[in-house]
Amino acid sequence: MASETHETDDERGEGGGPSVDDDRLRRIAERNPSRLGVGRAGPRPRTETLLEFRADHGVARDAVFSRVSEDLLDELGLYRVRSLVSDTEEYLARPDRGREISEETVRELREGCEADPEVQIVVCDGLSATAVEANLRDLLPALLDGLDERGISVGTPVFVEYGRVDVMDAVGETLGAEACVNLIGERPGLATAESLSAYFVYGPERGAPTAKKSVISNVHSGGLPAVEAGAAIADLLAEMLEKRASGLDLGGNDREFQKG
């Protein structure tokens, strides 16, 4: 018995596969940075697609292996220290050393930075110095203005070279901060190498579990723009201080920036 739902020749795609709605695919591809509908030449990617892939891969590698410029750190007045990591190879192989600072660095921070702030700002190159370069110049002033408008005291902003997310626990604990935010370059993908995230913790202390931490991610020109991110980060820090909590303890599924 013949099926009543079989496709006609016009409905089948090339090679007898499912047909493609070209207009719908084009609309989806235009709204999505992923590599959709790029086609192929026989069994291989098209030359243009392959060249774009290699170029984006090169950008991602550069983001990981480049360093944040001294000019940017000077311009923004960041106090500079380093984690226990000595170079990029060790940073990639030993995440644990990127979370800690030496006793010498502890003394440097206590001598050179303001103590007991309500908010301690930490900046880390993380896995993308490109993300820090692309966003921090706009984000940091917006964040500082937002905290100043709320009357929240801010410690000396600190840049940790080769820092991981949890290095904010060590810095915040050392300086006696009530809350800490870490602005860190995220692992680059093939769509963008400029994505930065902000991680938060209330009552920073070494070994604080991930469940105690909050995050605002996808900060870049194609996601949450840097200036808007600065305002959103200030809002979340104010809420953390008011409720004396972060992460799962804070909750907050009704926050406005999460609805965008």
Side-chain angles (χ1 to χ4, degrees), residues 150-194:
R150 292 166 176 79
I152 296 172
S153 68
V154 182
T156 308
V158 172
F159 174 74
V160 183
E161 187 178 18
Y162 297 124
R164 293 276 179 175
V165 169
D166 289 352
V167 79
M168 68 177 172
D169 297 334
V171 174
E173 180 185 271
T174 297
L175 295 174
E178 187 172 353
C180 198
V181 57
N182 187 353
L183 310 173
I184 185 168
E186 286 288 13
R187 184 188 308 276
L190 294 175
T192 181
E194 297 183 352

Side-chain angles (χ1 to χ4, degrees), residues 102-162:
S102 68
E103 285 304 313
E104 180 181 356
T105 301
V106 167
R107 290 193 292 273
E108 286 181 27
L109 288 171
R110 287 175 175 163
E111 291 172 0
C113 299
E114 295 179 37
D116 304 324
E118 289 180 284
V119 169
Q120 176 62 49
I121 297 174
V122 174
V123 180
C124 294
D125 40 10
L127 285 166
S128 177
T130 302
V132 177
E133 293 275 355
N135 295 289
L136 196 64
R137 187 174 281 106
D138 292 329
L139 192 158
L140 186 58
L143 171 57
L144 292 172
D145 287 346
L147 294 173
D148 183 62
E149 288 174 0
R150 292 166 176 79
I152 296 172
S153 68
V154 182
T156 308
V158 172
F159 174 74
V160 183
E161 187 178 18
Y162 297 124

